[in-house]
Amino acid sequence: MLKKLVLVLSCACAINTCFAQNIANKAETVADCNCLYDAQGRVIYAYNRSKAYEYEGAALTAYQEARTTTDKRIANAKYTEAIKDINLALAIIPDSAEYRLLAAQIYRHRGGLSYAKNYFTQACSLYEKQLKDYPDSITLNLQYAIACYAGDARYYSDYEDYQSRAYLLVEKTLKLLEENKNKYNEAEALLPRLLAYVMLQDYNEAAKTAKRINSICAKYSPAYAWAEQYERLAADGQWLWRVSSKEDAEKDFLLYSVDEWGI
């Protein structure tokens, strides 16, 4: 599995860096969490942050292994491991909407449905709070859109309300990408654009974007890796684990993009 921790340690995650504008000048201190945020509302400093990313990466690995195994005993053990690690990560950075979104996924598939709903609700509240401070953040708008469209809300009776919110957020994301197209080079905007088109089920534009990524992005960049994953998904309708429909596979693909890369 592609390791998010590697990106943190190398400071090379393309999406995290490409939209951050003069981090040193724009970072803001949040006293209650002792965090610094960049211009996109992403945490760039927190006490013991590297340890938090390590725990989150371990939780994500265990979650993937639980989803892919057919052995129920192994799956249960992996879900337990994932729960322990994601809670350790949250103990360090409690205001991470990404972590709470992953926690909701883990608990949902472990069978802790009330926990899943609580973590998902908390993630949404954090996204809304952060978007008040960073309304033009491409990262936050897209992450929240994916959360509403692909997250735990898909199991709720009021899912249509979340879908409506998701579409508004993803349209804003595309608008922000268009408004900033002269500010950043093309390669930097392609991954969020691909994810937006997948969410909108605009498969023609998604395919064009994936091909463009393959032609201009570095082979080992997040965009290139994710375009390859999308092309496999489009070819056979399956994600890393078996799901009931292509749409469910797309939703898991979108969620995993947040979990793995933080887009």
Side-chain angles (χ1 to χ4, degrees), residues 148-166:
C148 290
Y149 175 74
D152 207 62
R154 65 171 128 161
Y155 304 104
Y156 305 164
S157 60
D158 59 347
Y159 177 50
E160 287 186 4
D161 294 337
Y162 282 95
Q163 279 184 306
S164 297
R165 191 184 315 172

Side-chain angles (χ1 to χ4, degrees), residues 86-217:
I86 197 60
N87 282 312
L88 286 169
L90 279 165
I92 298 172
I93 309 180
D95 278 1
S96 172
E98 290 175 52
Y99 290 2
R100 294 191 182 274
L101 188 61
L102 177 56
Q105 296 165 61
I106 296 167
Y107 276 107
R108 163 65 57 177
H109 293 283
R110 179 65 176 84
L113 305 188
S114 62
Y115 286 99
K117 190 165 187 176
N118 285 339
Y119 274 111
F120 179 75
T121 300
Q122 291 164 10
C124 290
S125 295
L126 284 168
Y127 279 127
E128 289 168 5
K129 177 183 176 182
Q130 291 162 4
L131 279 168
K132 287 181 180 178
D133 294 327
Y134 305 93
D136 294 331
S137 166
I138 293 166
T139 295
L140 290 175
N141 277 284
L142 183 54
Q143 280 194 9
Y144 192 19
I146 290 172
C148 290
Y149 175 74
D152 207 62
R154 65 171 128 161
Y155 304 104
Y156 305 164
S157 60
D158 59 347
Y159 177 50
E160 287 186 4
D161 294 337
Y162 282 95
Q163 279 184 306
S164 297
R165 191 184 315 172
Y167 292 139
L168 289 174
L169 289 161
V170 81
E171 291 291 355
K172 183 175 180 181
T173 299
L174 288 170
K175 181 180 178 182
L176 288 167
L177 286 167
E178 183 64 22
E179 290 174 352
N180 288 281
K181 67 180 181 180
N182 295 324
K183 201 170 188 179
Y184 310 107
N185 67 59
E186 182 188 3
E188 293 170 339
L190 285 172
L191 179 52
R193 193 176 292 279
L194 170 63
L195 297 171
Y197 288 136
V198 172
M199 206 191 88
L200 291 171
Q201 296 184 329
D202 188 339
Y203 300 123
N204 288 334
E205 288 301 322
K208 289 178 186 177
T209 305
K211 285 183 173 60
R212 186 63 178 160
I213 288 171
N214 290 337
S215 66
I216 72 169
C217 292

